[in-house]
Amino acid sequence: EVQLVESGGGLVQPGRSLRLSCAASGFTFLDYGMHWVRQAPGKGLEWVSGISWNSDSIEYADSVKGRFTISRDNARNSLYLQMNSLRAEDTALYYCAKGNSYSMSSFCDYWGQGTLVTVSS
Amino acid sequence: EIVLTQSPATLSLSPGERVTLSCRASQSVSSFLAWYQQKPGQPPRLLMYDASNRATGIPARFSGSGSGTDFTLTISSLEPEDFAVYYCQHRYNRPNTFGQGTKLGIK
């Protein structure tokens, strides 16, 4: 059974940093691209970032480019999102999602339950 | 950035009815479009990928069609569990944007 478990969310002040983690199990992690998708309270879905199976291809939404860094550790079956210079508009539920191919150009076929990030003073 | 526009924003129907949801792209995305279903308090669930392929475990009452800029998701006969929010997403280029969603409610 595919499982994705996010952690690392919480309340943080504007301008500070946070690192999200996603522990994957139930599939061969290194065979698939991975994504972070967020959802602000009561709003729709926003794709944040994606990474290919071998980390060769990485992309970001314009709204987080230069502030967020996605990475993965295939030996640890883990995905990460380093979030710097956080803003109030980054407040959202952050989902880790498995891609349905090795590429970053993939759809999200399994999702975690999300971890909530609240940016507020 | 490719903008996906979903219509209608909301609709109310009864179980057993047929429904067609629309997703229009601001430029061609070929067939690289997916549909997701999201219920309150749950993560999204992939329904269709690459326009017309049902994801694993998705019932046959769900079907997708389209290419280029115009896509549809059809539910042939609504079940009570189908009332939810539906999103489209493309993977033609980055960012892989989502549509704003269509909320399907019970009449």
Side-chain angles (χ1 to χ4, degrees):
Chain A
E1 179 194 4
V2 172
Q3 286 199 330
L4 298 167
V5 180
E6 304 93 338
S7 60
L11 174 63
V12 62
Q13 293 178 327
R16 304 298 291 264
S17 299
L18 213 54
R19 189 194 196 209
L20 305 184
S21 299
C22 172
S25 61
F27 65 103
T28 305
F29 183 72
L30 60 80
D31 279 349
Y32 293 94
M34 297 292 294
H35 301 273
W36 288 100
V37 176
R38 69 185 180 183
Q39 188 168 34
K43 301 298 184 182
L45 301 170
E46 181 186 14
W47 178 84
V48 172
S49 182
I51 185 169
S52 62
W53 69 282
N54 61 357
S55 304
D56 272 3
S57 293
I58 288 175
E59 293 279 1
Y60 301 94
D62 286 346
S63 57
V64 306
K65 201 173 292 184
R67 299 187 299 122
F68 289 11
T69 302
I70 190 172
S71 62
R72 64 189 294 162
D73 185 338
N74 287 343
R76 295 178 182 271
N77 291 344
S78 293
L79 178 71
Y80 306 100
L81 187 67
Q82 177 67 40
M83 304 186 297
N84 299 333
S85 303
L86 282 161
R87 305 167 180 168
E89 54 266 35
D90 295 320
T91 294
L93 187 63
Y94 284 75
Y95 291 106
C96 164
K98 171 186 168 291
N100 66 347
S101 81
Y102 66 92
S103 168
M104 188 188 50
S105 175
S106 55
F107 294 120
C108 303
D109 59 358
Y110 290 92
W111 299 63
Q113 291 297 313
T115 187
L116 182 63
V117 173
T118 303
V119 184
S120 174
S121 54
Chain B
E1 172 176 317
I2 295 174
V3 176
L4 298 179
T5 302
Q6 294 186 239
S7 61
T10 61
L11 73 164
S12 296
L13 295 170
S14 300
E17 289 194 87
R18 178 186 180 92
V19 62
T20 298
L21 309 182
S22 173
C23 177
R24 176 163 289 178
S26 58
Q27 66 184 75
S28 176
V29 297
S30 185
S31 62
F32 301 144
L33 190 105
W35 291 92
Y36 299 85
Q37 177 194 68
Q38 188 178 32
K39 298 178 182 179
Q42 296 184 18
R45 177 173 73 145
L46 180 66
L47 299 175
M48 311 293 301
Y49 65 94
D50 291 344
S52 60
N53 298 289
R54 267 190 302 277
T56 303
I58 302 304
R61 65 180 182 273
F62 291 91
S63 63
S65 65
S67 66
T69 61
D70 291 298
F71 299 86
T72 58
L73 174 71
T74 298
I75 309 173
S76 59
S77 178
L78 283 166
E79 297 288 340
E81 62 267 28
D82 298 338
F83 294 93
V85 179
Y86 292 82
Y87 295 95
C88 57
Q89 183 200 24
H90 78 86
R91 66 175 182 89
Y92 183 78
N93 60 11
R94 253 46 64 199
N96 298 3
T97 50
F98 288 89
Q100 83 281 12
T102 290
K103 184 174 183 178
L104 177 56
I106 301 177
K107 184 185 287 185

